[in-house]
Amino acid sequence: MGDLKTSVTSQIHQVRAVIFTDSNSNVNAAKVTDLFESLHVDYKSVEVDVRDDMKEYWDAVADVAKQRPLAKPFVFVGGNAVGGVEETLAAHADGRLGALLGVLPQNEHGGDTLHYDYDLIVVGGGSGGLACSKAAATYGKRVAVLDLVKPSPQGTSWGLGGTCVNVGCIPKKLMHQASLLGRSIQDAKAFGWSVSDNVQHKWEVLVEAVQGHIKSLNWGYRVSLQDKNVKYLNAFGEFVDQHTLKTVNRRGRESVITFGSVVLATGMRPRYPDIPGAKEYGITSDDLFSLRVTPGKTLVVGASYVALECAGFLAGVGFETTCMVRSILLRGFDQQMAEKIGEYMAKEGVWFVRPAVPTKVELIEDGPPRRLRVEFKMLETGEIKTEEFNTVMFAIGRDACTQGIGLEQLGVKMNPKNGQLLTTYEQTNVTHIYGIGDILEGKPELTPVAIQAGKLLAARLYGGQTTMCDYVNVPTTVFTPLEYGCIGLSEEDAISLKGETNIEVYHTSFQPLEWTLPHHDENTCYMKIICDKSDNERVIGLHVLGPNAGEITQGYGVAFKCGATKAHFDQTIGIHPTCSESMTTLTITKSSGDDPATKGC
Ligand code: FAD
Ligand code: NDP
């Protein structure tokens, strides 16, 4: 019996999940194997009834599991007994399974042995990496964070803090604000202010102010790493073997460091189309926010978050802006809302060319301002057209910075198309290699998500905690000239998931009070909630298009976490006069066919 117990113990430590099963329980076992496959977990099925000592072997499994009677099939994860099929599915639902998958016993992944230079190295000092490294250090671990920005093809690079701080959320939101102020200055006249009709915006002033703010943030991050005892290495990391990284600093100096565990937080960089002139003459969001020359007449290629936000503020501060859309606006978002965003942007001066793709970019005359000729194809007619621009910006998606740094040799599984890592929660298939933030396949690519995942991972690895990052119903906002905030399902997804007869959509147009005096269109802003009729009208989607949608949406994120139903919204008393109060008085359903337009006071 002793030998059999040793055999079972050895089996359950060889791969992350082991299912002991027999021919009677194989059908049930499929529910567990399906689950492990969907989570990309390495698992092994051990068929006990092919053994001559079948009865003794089941006894040994029961002894190791310390469970009698023993459910069949029986599942172990990370060397721990989980239970039968029902227990395993329940453990998945309440997060315990993830905790077991995410935290293997220390001696299994070699995390804390003193002979490594660091207990943990975090590769990437962006939103996720900084949060994770600082959290890990608070548990007394020896932690280093590597961060080095490879210059863009136009030569732009930046300091510590990653995409959000340097070339993402922060400069984007400040430039969005610049464009909103332009609109407010005009509106101010209706409120009694004397404002010249010829108010001018100076791009160089904006860029300088934004870059100054970013520099102060870069400095703050360095100081906070020092305060938390995290070693900051301004160097690029490449894997040499399972526990060794080669680091190369800005001057090309190489070193080697060893680690127990590693967290990859390397983020993503913009993609370029494979057309002549794209890399030579085009820019991306990596360059835009520090562009010292005024963009002038600008073409933005793409139709997702980055493209629409940048096109929005460029037009808002006065540049002639064209957005070239290959197919739909904001793929993955509610399409009714996406089209409303497009309509508003078009009204505010963004010219949309769709469906179309660029085929060539040529330099006509060097600047500043540069003159570029863009050749593009109208996809419905096949017609080839050309137009001149001063700036061409590509926002056609991003690739994860995971390729060519030795992960392939270590066998880390990733999506070959964009380099995103296939993980179970934040653990890759190589047990001591973790990933957080934008580089995870199928997770929202947002700063707060990267931060939350990083902090929780550190707490699980070193703080004995079990809370997993909840990637469901993450609120988000697209900072287009009219902001769009949403949580949960789009109307299309709700219909395909629940069936059209099971959903009810409550909606209304609304007019912010602030829009009345300047006489803006009273039916431009719009909100809707999508309710699951088969579940007490639980709110499964919330969408709002209007000023400050980001601020509005955040609070409803909490309501989603609490499982709010339409009745909860109705029982909530609004704050008057706000836009958000309309969420508490929604009565018009889409199924009624009634007009959701505002009917005056
Ligand atoms: P990053 O912040 O990208 O950090 C990765 C870091 O790792 C970088 O500094 C990189 O240089 C470094 N690195 C890469 N490889 C190596 C290596 N081998 N060695 C050393 N260092 C390496 N999100 C929001 O929530 N709200 C917004 O409003 C918003 N706006 C955005 C606007 C734009 C234009 C863009 C592009 C993104 C925006 N995002 C926004 C997304 C947000 O910026 C990202 O989700 C977030 O920055 C991801 O954090 P991260 O830690 O995964 O990676
Ligand atoms: P996405 O991958 O979301 O979108 C790419 C866009 O480019 C799509 O519209 C796509 O069109 C188009 N496209 C792709 N290839 C081509 C091509 N060859 N020619 C023309 N068009 C093309 O990328 P983003 O860079 O916009 O955003 C990345 C992520 O960053 C977002 O998912 C988001 O999580 C995050 N982010 C968050 C923000 C926020 O919170 N406010 C702001 C900005 C970014 P098609 O639909 O036809 O494929």
Coordinates of all heavy atoms in Angstrom, one line a residue, residues 122-130 145-150 158-173 233-239 245-246 248 264-270 285-286 289 305-307 309-310 313 393 398 401-402 405 436-440 444-451 475-479, ligand 1:
V122 N 9.8 41.1 -12.0 CA 8.6 41.5 -12.8 C 9.2 42.1 -14.1 O 10.0 43.0 -14.0 CB 7.7 42.5 -12.1 CG1 6.6 43.0 -13.0 CG2 7.2 41.9 -10.8
V123 N 8.8 41.6 -15.3 CA 9.4 42.1 -16.5 C 8.3 43.1 -17.1 O 7.2 42.7 -17.5 CB 9.7 41.0 -17.5 CG1 10.4 41.7 -18.8 CG2 10.6 40.0 -16.9
G124 N 8.6 44.4 -17.0 CA 7.7 45.4 -17.5 C 7.2 46.3 -16.3 O 6.6 45.8 -15.4
G125 N 7.6 47.6 -16.4 CA 7.2 48.5 -15.3 C 6.1 49.4 -15.8 O 6.2 50.7 -15.7
G126 N 5.0 48.8 -16.2 CA 3.8 49.6 -16.5 C 2.7 49.4 -15.4 O 3.1 49.1 -14.3
S127 N 1.5 49.6 -15.8 CA 0.4 49.6 -14.7 C 0.5 48.3 -13.9 O 0.5 48.4 -12.7 CB -1.0 49.7 -15.4 OG -1.0 50.8 -16.3
G128 N 0.5 47.2 -14.6 CA 0.4 45.9 -13.9 C 1.7 45.6 -13.2 O 1.7 45.2 -12.0
G129 N 2.9 45.8 -13.8 CA 4.2 45.4 -13.3 C 4.5 46.2 -12.0 O 5.0 45.7 -11.0
L130 N 4.2 47.5 -12.1 CA 4.5 48.3 -10.9 C 3.7 47.9 -9.7 O 4.1 47.8 -8.6 CB 4.3 49.8 -11.2 CG 5.3 50.5 -12.2 CD1 4.9 51.9 -12.5 CD2 6.7 50.4 -11.6
V145 N 12.1 44.9 -10.7 CA 11.3 45.2 -11.9 C 12.2 45.7 -13.0 O 13.0 46.6 -12.8 CB 10.1 46.1 -11.6 CG1 10.6 47.5 -11.1 CG2 9.2 46.3 -12.7
L146 N 12.0 45.1 -14.2 CA 12.8 45.5 -15.4 C 11.9 46.3 -16.3 O 10.8 45.9 -16.5 CB 13.2 44.2 -16.2 CG 14.1 43.2 -15.7 CD1 14.4 42.2 -16.8 CD2 15.4 43.8 -15.3
D147 N 12.4 47.4 -16.7 CA 11.5 48.2 -17.7 C 12.4 48.9 -18.6 O 13.3 49.7 -18.2 CB 10.6 49.2 -17.0 CG 9.6 49.8 -17.9 OD1 8.7 49.1 -18.4 OD2 9.8 51.0 -18.3
L148 N 12.2 48.7 -19.9 CA 13.0 49.4 -20.9 C 12.0 49.6 -22.1 O 11.4 48.6 -22.6 CB 14.3 48.8 -21.4 CG 15.1 49.7 -22.3 CD1 16.4 50.0 -21.6 CD2 15.4 49.0 -23.6
V149 N 11.9 50.8 -22.6 CA 11.1 51.1 -23.8 C 11.9 51.1 -25.0 O 12.9 51.9 -25.2 CB 10.4 52.5 -23.6 CG1 9.5 52.8 -24.8 CG2 9.6 52.6 -22.3
K150 N 11.6 50.2 -26.0 CA 12.2 50.2 -27.3 C 11.6 51.4 -28.1 O 10.4 51.5 -28.2 CB 12.0 48.9 -28.0 CG 12.8 47.8 -27.3 CD 13.4 46.8 -28.3 CE 14.4 46.0 -27.6 NZ 14.8 44.8 -28.3
W158 N 10.1 56.8 -23.9 CA 9.6 57.5 -22.7 C 10.1 56.8 -21.4 O 10.9 55.8 -21.5 CB 8.1 57.5 -22.8 CG 7.4 56.2 -23.0 CD1 7.1 55.2 -22.1 CD2 7.1 55.6 -24.3 NE1 6.5 54.1 -22.8 CE2 6.5 54.4 -24.1 CE3 7.2 56.1 -25.6 CZ2 6.0 53.5 -25.1 CZ3 6.7 55.3 -26.7 CH2 6.2 54.0 -26.4
G159 N 9.6 57.3 -20.3 CA 10.2 56.8 -19.0 C 9.4 55.7 -18.4 O 8.5 55.1 -19.0
L160 N 9.6 55.6 -17.1 CA 9.0 54.5 -16.3 C 7.4 54.7 -16.2 O 7.0 55.8 -16.0 CB 9.6 54.4 -14.9 CG 9.2 53.3 -14.0 CD1 9.4 52.0 -14.5 CD2 9.8 53.5 -12.6
G161 N 6.7 53.6 -16.2 CA 5.2 53.7 -16.0 C 4.4 53.1 -17.0 O 3.2 52.9 -16.9
G162 N 5.0 52.7 -18.2 CA 4.3 51.9 -19.2 C 3.4 52.8 -20.1 O 3.5 54.0 -20.1
T163 N 2.5 52.1 -20.8 CA 1.7 52.7 -21.8 C 0.7 53.7 -21.2 O 0.6 54.9 -21.7 CB 0.8 51.6 -22.5 OG1 1.7 50.6 -23.0 CG2 -0.1 52.2 -23.6
C164 N 0.0 53.4 -20.1 CA -1.1 54.3 -19.6 C -0.5 55.7 -19.3 O -1.1 56.7 -19.7 CB -1.6 53.6 -18.3 SG -2.7 54.6 -17.4
V165 N 0.6 55.7 -18.6 CA 1.1 57.0 -18.1 C 1.7 57.8 -19.3 O 1.5 59.0 -19.4 CB 2.2 56.7 -17.1 CG1 2.8 58.0 -16.7 CG2 1.6 56.0 -15.9
N166 N 2.4 57.1 -20.1 CA 3.3 57.8 -21.1 C 2.6 58.0 -22.5 O 2.7 59.1 -23.1 CB 4.6 57.0 -21.3 CG 5.4 57.0 -20.1 OD1 6.0 58.0 -19.7 ND2 5.4 55.9 -19.3
V167 N 1.9 57.0 -22.9 CA 1.3 57.0 -24.3 C -0.1 56.5 -24.4 O -0.5 55.9 -25.4 CB 2.3 56.3 -25.3 CG1 3.5 57.1 -25.6 CG2 2.6 54.9 -24.8
G168 N -0.8 56.5 -23.2 CA -2.1 56.0 -23.2 C -3.1 56.8 -22.5 O -3.3 58.0 -22.8
C169 N -3.7 56.3 -21.4 CA -4.8 56.9 -20.7 C -4.5 58.3 -20.3 O -5.4 59.2 -20.5 CB -5.1 56.1 -19.4 SG -4.7 54.4 -19.4
I170 N -3.4 58.6 -19.7 CA -3.1 59.9 -19.1 C -3.0 61.0 -20.2 O -3.8 62.0 -20.2 CB -1.9 59.9 -18.2 CG1 -2.1 58.9 -17.1 CG2 -1.5 61.3 -17.7 CD1 -3.2 59.2 -16.1
P171 N -2.1 60.9 -21.2 CA -2.1 62.0 -22.2 C -3.4 62.0 -23.0 O -3.8 63.1 -23.3 CB -0.9 61.6 -23.1 CG -0.6 60.2 -22.8 CD -1.0 59.9 -21.4
K172 N -3.9 60.8 -23.2 CA -5.2 60.8 -24.0 C -6.3 61.6 -23.3 O -7.0 62.4 -23.9 CB -5.6 59.4 -24.2 CG -6.9 59.1 -25.0 CD -8.1 59.1 -24.2 CE -8.2 58.3 -23.0 NZ -8.3 56.9 -23.2
K173 N -6.4 61.4 -22.0 CA -7.5 62.0 -21.2 C -7.3 63.5 -21.2 O -8.2 64.3 -21.2 CB -7.7 61.4 -19.8 CG -8.8 62.0 -19.0 CD -10.1 61.3 -19.3 CE -11.3 62.0 -18.6 NZ -11.4 61.9 -17.2
L233 N 15.4 48.1 -12.5 CA 16.5 48.0 -13.5 C 16.0 48.5 -14.9 O 15.1 48.0 -15.4 CB 16.9 46.5 -13.7 CG 17.4 45.8 -12.4 CD1 17.5 44.3 -12.5 CD2 18.8 46.4 -12.0
N234 N 16.6 49.6 -15.3 CA 16.2 50.2 -16.6 C 16.9 49.4 -17.7 O 17.9 49.8 -18.3 CB 16.6 51.6 -16.6 CG 16.2 52.4 -17.9 OD1 16.7 53.4 -18.3 ND2 15.1 51.9 -18.5
A235 N 16.4 48.2 -17.9 CA 17.0 47.2 -18.9 C 15.9 46.3 -19.5 O 14.8 46.1 -18.9 CB 18.0 46.4 -18.1
F236 N 16.3 45.8 -20.6 CA 15.4 44.9 -21.4 C 15.7 43.4 -20.9 O 16.8 43.1 -20.8 CB 15.6 45.1 -22.9 CG 14.5 44.5 -23.7 CD1 13.3 45.1 -23.9 CD2 14.7 43.3 -24.3 CE1 12.3 44.6 -24.7 CE2 13.7 42.7 -25.1 CZ 12.5 43.4 -25.3
G237 N 14.7 42.7 -20.7 CA 14.9 41.3 -20.2 C 14.6 40.2 -21.3 O 13.6 40.3 -22.0
E238 N 15.5 39.2 -21.4 CA 15.3 38.1 -22.3 C 15.6 36.8 -21.5 O 16.6 36.8 -20.7 CB 16.2 38.2 -23.5 CG 15.8 39.2 -24.5 CD 16.9 39.3 -25.6 OE1 17.5 38.3 -26.0 OE2 17.2 40.5 -25.9
F239 N 14.8 35.8 -21.7 CA 15.0 34.6 -20.9 C 16.2 33.8 -21.4 O 16.3 33.5 -22.6 CB 13.8 33.7 -20.9 CG 12.7 34.3 -20.1 CD1 11.8 35.2 -20.6 CD2 12.5 33.9 -18.7 CE1 10.8 35.8 -19.8 CE2 11.5 34.5 -18.0 CZ 10.7 35.4 -18.5
L245 N 17.5 35.4 -16.4 CA 17.2 36.4 -17.4 C 18.5 37.1 -17.8 O 19.3 37.4 -16.9 CB 16.3 37.5 -16.9 CG 14.8 37.2 -17.0 CD1 14.0 38.1 -16.0 CD2 14.3 37.6 -18.4
K246 N 18.7 37.4 -19.1 CA 19.7 38.3 -19.5 C 19.1 39.7 -19.6 O 18.0 39.9 -20.1 CB 20.2 37.9 -20.9 CG 21.3 38.8 -21.4 CD 21.8 38.3 -22.8 CE 21.0 39.0 -23.9 NZ 21.4 38.6 -25.2
V248 N 19.7 43.7 -20.7 CA 20.5 44.6 -21.6 C 20.0 46.1 -21.3 O 18.8 46.4 -21.5 CB 20.3 44.3 -23.1 CG1 21.2 45.1 -23.9 CG2 20.4 42.8 -23.3
L264 N 5.3 38.3 -16.1 CA 5.5 39.1 -17.3 C 4.4 40.1 -17.3 O 3.2 39.8 -17.2 CB 5.3 38.1 -18.5 CG 6.4 37.1 -18.6 CD1 5.9 35.9 -19.5 CD2 7.7 37.6 -19.1
A265 N 4.8 41.4 -17.5 CA 3.8 42.5 -17.6 C 4.4 43.4 -18.7 O 4.5 44.6 -18.5 CB 3.8 43.2 -16.2
T266 N 4.6 42.8 -19.8 CA 5.3 43.6 -20.9 C 4.4 44.4 -21.8 O 5.0 45.1 -22.7 CB 6.2 42.6 -21.7 OG1 5.3 41.5 -22.1 CG2 7.3 42.0 -21.0
G267 N 3.1 44.3 -21.6 CA 2.2 45.2 -22.4 C 2.2 44.9 -23.9 O 2.8 43.9 -24.4
M268 N 1.6 45.9 -24.6 CA 1.5 45.7 -26.1 C 2.0 47.0 -26.8 O 2.1 48.0 -26.2 CB 0.0 45.5 -26.4 CG -0.6 44.3 -25.8 SD -2.3 44.0 -26.2 CE -2.1 42.9 -27.6
R269 N 2.4 46.8 -28.0 CA 2.8 48.0 -28.8 C 2.0 48.0 -30.1 O 1.5 47.0 -30.6 CB 4.3 47.9 -29.2 CG 5.2 48.0 -28.0 CD 5.2 49.3 -27.3 NE 5.8 50.4 -28.0 CZ 7.1 50.7 -28.0 NH1 7.9 50.1 -27.2 NH2 7.6 51.8 -28.7
P270 N 1.8 49.2 -30.7 CA 0.9 49.4 -31.9 C 1.5 48.6 -33.1 O 2.7 48.4 -33.3 CB 1.0 50.9 -32.2 CG 1.5 51.5 -30.9 CD 2.3 50.5 -30.2
S285 N -0.1 55.9 -31.8 CA -0.4 56.6 -30.5 C 0.9 56.7 -29.7 O 1.0 57.5 -28.8 CB -1.5 55.9 -29.8 OG -1.1 54.5 -29.6
D286 N 1.9 55.8 -30.0 CA 3.2 55.9 -29.3 C 3.9 57.3 -29.6 O 4.8 57.7 -28.8 CB 4.2 54.8 -29.7 CG 3.8 53.5 -29.0 OD1 2.9 53.5 -28.1 OD2 4.5 52.5 -29.2
F289 N 1.3 61.8 -28.7 CA 1.2 62.6 -27.5 C 2.4 63.5 -27.3 O 2.4 64.4 -26.4 CB 0.8 61.8 -26.3 CG -0.4 60.9 -26.5 CD1 -0.3 59.6 -26.6 CD2 -1.6 61.5 -26.6 CE1 -1.4 58.8 -26.8 CE2 -2.8 60.8 -26.8 CZ -2.7 59.4 -26.9
Y305 N -11.2 51.9 -29.9 CA -10.9 52.8 -28.8 C -9.9 53.9 -29.3 O -10.1 55.1 -29.3 CB -10.2 52.1 -27.7 CG -11.0 51.5 -26.6 CD1 -11.2 50.2 -26.5 CD2 -11.3 52.3 -25.5 CE1 -11.8 49.6 -25.5 CE2 -12.0 51.7 -24.4 CZ -12.2 50.3 -24.4 OH -12.8 49.7 -23.3
V306 N -8.6 53.4 -29.6 CA -7.5 54.4 -29.8 C -7.8 55.3 -31.0 O -7.7 56.5 -30.8 CB -6.2 53.6 -30.0 CG1 -5.1 54.6 -30.3 CG2 -5.8 52.7 -28.9
A307 N -8.3 54.7 -32.1 CA -8.6 55.5 -33.3 C -9.6 56.6 -33.0 O -9.4 57.8 -33.3 CB -9.0 54.6 -34.4
E309 N -10.9 57.8 -30.2 CA -10.5 58.8 -29.1 C -9.6 59.8 -29.7 O -9.7 61.0 -29.5 CB -9.9 58.1 -27.9 CG -10.8 57.2 -27.1 CD -10.3 56.6 -25.9 OE1 -9.0 56.5 -25.8 OE2 -11.0 56.2 -25.0
C310 N -8.5 59.3 -30.4 CA -7.5 60.3 -31.0 C -8.1 61.2 -32.0 O -7.9 62.4 -32.0 CB -6.3 59.5 -31.5 SG -5.4 58.7 -30.2
F313 N -10.2 63.9 -30.3 CA -9.6 65.1 -29.7 C -8.8 65.9 -30.7 O -8.7 67.2 -30.6 CB -8.8 64.8 -28.4 CG -7.5 64.1 -28.6 CD1 -6.4 64.7 -29.2 CD2 -7.3 62.8 -28.1 CE1 -5.2 64.0 -29.4 CE2 -6.1 62.1 -28.2 CZ -5.1 62.7 -28.9
M393 N -1.9 58.6 -38.9 CA -1.7 57.8 -37.7 C -2.4 56.4 -37.8 O -3.6 56.4 -38.1 CB -2.3 58.6 -36.5 CG -2.1 57.8 -35.2 SD -2.9 58.6 -33.8 CE -3.7 57.2 -33.1
R398 N -2.9 46.2 -31.5 CA -1.6 46.1 -30.8 C -1.2 44.7 -30.6 O -2.0 43.8 -30.6 CB -1.8 46.8 -29.4 CG -2.2 48.2 -29.6 CD -2.7 48.9 -28.3 NE -1.7 48.9 -27.2 CZ -0.8 49.8 -27.1 NH1 -0.7 50.8 -28.0 NH2 0.1 49.8 -26.1
C401 N 4.1 42.2 -26.3 CA 5.6 42.2 -26.3 C 6.1 40.9 -25.6 O 6.7 41.0 -24.5 CB 6.1 43.4 -25.6 SG 5.6 44.9 -26.3
T402 N 5.8 39.8 -26.2 CA 6.1 38.5 -25.6 C 7.0 37.7 -26.6 O 7.4 36.6 -26.2 CB 4.8 37.7 -25.3 OG1 4.1 37.7 -26.5 CG2 4.1 38.3 -24.2
I405 N 11.6 36.9 -26.8 CA 12.4 37.1 -25.6 C 12.6 35.8 -24.9 O 12.8 35.8 -23.6 CB 11.6 38.1 -24.6 CG1 10.2 37.7 -24.3 CG2 11.7 39.5 -25.2 CD1 9.5 38.5 -23.2
I436 N 0.4 39.2 -16.4 CA -0.7 40.1 -16.0 C -0.8 41.2 -17.1 O 0.1 41.5 -17.9 CB -0.4 40.8 -14.7 CG1 0.9 41.5 -14.6 CG2 -0.6 39.8 -13.5 CD1 1.2 42.3 -13.3
G437 N -2.0 41.9 -17.1 CA -2.2 43.0 -17.9 C -2.6 42.7 -19.3 O -3.1 41.7 -19.6
D438 N -2.2 43.6 -20.2 CA -2.6 43.5 -21.6 C -2.2 42.3 -22.3 O -2.8 41.9 -23.3 CB -2.0 44.7 -22.4 CG -2.8 46.0 -22.2 OD1 -3.7 46.0 -21.3 OD2 -2.4 47.0 -22.9
I439 N -1.1 41.6 -21.8 CA -0.6 40.5 -22.6 C -1.4 39.2 -22.4 O -1.1 38.2 -22.9 CB 0.9 40.2 -22.3 CG1 1.1 40.0 -20.8 CG2 1.7 41.3 -22.8 CD1 2.5 39.5 -20.5
L440 N -2.5 39.2 -21.6 CA -3.3 38.0 -21.4 C -4.4 37.9 -22.4 O -5.1 38.9 -22.6 CB -3.9 38.0 -20.0 CG -3.0 38.1 -18.8 CD1 -3.7 37.6 -17.5 CD2 -1.7 37.3 -19.0
P444 N -9.8 42.0 -20.5 CA -9.9 43.4 -20.9 C -8.5 44.1 -20.8 O -7.8 43.9 -19.9 CB -10.8 44.0 -19.9 CG -11.5 42.9 -19.2 CD -10.6 41.7 -19.3
E445 N -8.2 44.8 -21.9 CA -6.9 45.5 -21.9 C -7.0 46.9 -21.3 O -7.1 47.9 -22.1 CB -6.3 45.5 -23.4 CG -6.0 44.2 -23.9 CD -6.1 44.1 -25.4 OE1 -6.1 45.2 -26.1 OE2 -6.3 43.0 -25.9
L446 N -7.1 47.0 -20.1 CA -7.3 48.2 -19.4 C -6.4 48.4 -18.1 O -6.1 47.3 -17.5 CB -8.8 48.3 -18.9 CG -9.8 48.3 -20.0 CD1 -11.2 48.0 -19.4 CD2 -9.8 49.5 -20.8
T447 N -6.0 49.6 -17.8 CA -5.1 49.8 -16.7 C -5.6 49.3 -15.4 O -4.9 48.5 -14.7 CB -4.8 51.3 -16.6 OG1 -3.7 51.6 -17.6 CG2 -4.3 51.7 -15.3
P448 N -6.8 49.6 -15.0 CA -7.2 49.1 -13.6 C -7.3 47.6 -13.6 O -7.1 47.0 -12.5 CB -8.6 49.7 -13.5 CG -8.7 50.8 -14.4 CD -7.9 50.4 -15.6
V449 N -7.5 46.9 -14.7 CA -7.5 45.4 -14.8 C -6.1 44.9 -14.5 O -5.9 44.0 -13.7 CB -8.0 44.9 -16.1 CG1 -7.8 43.4 -16.2 CG2 -9.5 45.3 -16.3
A450 N -5.1 45.6 -15.1 CA -3.7 45.1 -15.0 C -3.3 45.3 -13.5 O -2.6 44.5 -12.9 CB -2.8 46.0 -15.9
I451 N -3.7 46.5 -12.9 CA -3.3 46.8 -11.5 C -3.9 45.7 -10.6 O -3.2 45.2 -9.7 CB -3.7 48.2 -11.2 CG1 -2.9 49.2 -12.0 CG2 -3.5 48.5 -9.7 CD1 -3.3 50.6 -11.8
P475 N -16.3 47.7 -15.9 CA -16.8 48.9 -16.5 C -15.7 49.5 -17.4 O -14.5 49.4 -17.1 CB -17.1 49.8 -15.3 CG -16.8 49.1 -14.1 CD -16.0 47.9 -14.4
T476 N -16.1 50.1 -18.5 CA -15.1 50.8 -19.3 C -15.7 52.0 -19.9 O -17.0 52.1 -20.0 CB -14.5 49.9 -20.4 OG1 -13.5 50.6 -21.1 CG2 -15.5 49.4 -21.4
T477 N -14.9 53.0 -20.4 CA -15.4 54.2 -21.1 C -14.5 54.5 -22.3 O -13.3 54.4 -22.2 CB -15.4 55.4 -20.1 OG1 -16.5 55.1 -19.1 CG2 -15.8 56.6 -20.8
V478 N -15.2 54.8 -23.4 CA -14.4 55.3 -24.5 C -14.5 56.8 -24.5 O -15.6 57.4 -24.5 CB -15.1 54.7 -25.8 CG1 -14.2 55.1 -27.0 CG2 -15.2 53.2 -25.8
F479 N -13.4 57.5 -24.4 CA -13.4 58.9 -24.3 C -13.4 59.6 -25.6 O -12.5 60.3 -26.0 CB -12.2 59.3 -23.4 CG -12.2 58.9 -22.0 CD1 -11.6 57.7 -21.6 CD2 -13.0 59.5 -21.1 CE1 -11.7 57.2 -20.3 CE2 -13.1 59.1 -19.7 CZ -12.4 57.9 -19.4
Ligands
FAD1 P1 2.2 48.5 -20.1 O1 1.6 49.6 -19.3 O2 2.2 48.6 -21.6 O3 3.7 48.3 -19.6 C1 4.6 47.4 -20.2 C2 6.0 47.9 -20.0 O4 6.9 46.8 -20.2 C3 6.4 49.0 -21.0 O5 7.1 50.0 -20.3 C4 7.4 48.2 -21.9 O6 8.3 49.1 -22.5 C5 8.0 47.3 -20.9 N1 8.6 46.1 -21.6 C6 8.1 45.3 -22.6 N2 9.0 44.3 -22.8 C7 10.0 44.4 -21.9 C8 11.2 43.6 -21.7 N3 11.4 42.4 -22.4 N4 12.0 44.0 -20.7 C9 11.8 45.1 -20.0 N5 10.7 45.9 -20.2 C10 9.8 45.5 -21.2 N6 -6.8 51.9 -20.4 C11 -7.7 52.4 -19.5 O7 -8.0 51.8 -18.5 N7 -8.2 53.7 -19.7 C12 -7.9 54.4 -20.8 O8 -8.4 55.5 -20.9 C13 -6.9 53.9 -21.7 N8 -6.5 54.7 -22.7 C14 -5.6 54.2 -23.6 C15 -5.2 55.0 -24.6 C16 -4.3 54.5 -25.5 C17 -3.8 55.4 -26.7 C18 -3.7 53.2 -25.3 C19 -2.7 52.7 -26.3 C20 -4.1 52.4 -24.3 C21 -5.0 52.9 -23.4 N9 -5.5 52.1 -22.3 C22 -6.4 52.6 -21.4 C23 -4.9 50.8 -22.1 C24 -3.8 50.8 -21.0 O9 -2.8 51.8 -21.3 C25 -3.2 49.4 -20.8 O10 -4.3 48.5 -20.5 C26 -2.2 49.3 -19.7 O11 -1.2 50.3 -19.8 C27 -1.6 47.9 -19.7 O12 -0.7 47.8 -18.6 P2 0.4 46.7 -18.7 O13 1.1 46.7 -17.3 O14 -0.2 45.4 -19.1 O15 1.5 47.1 -19.8

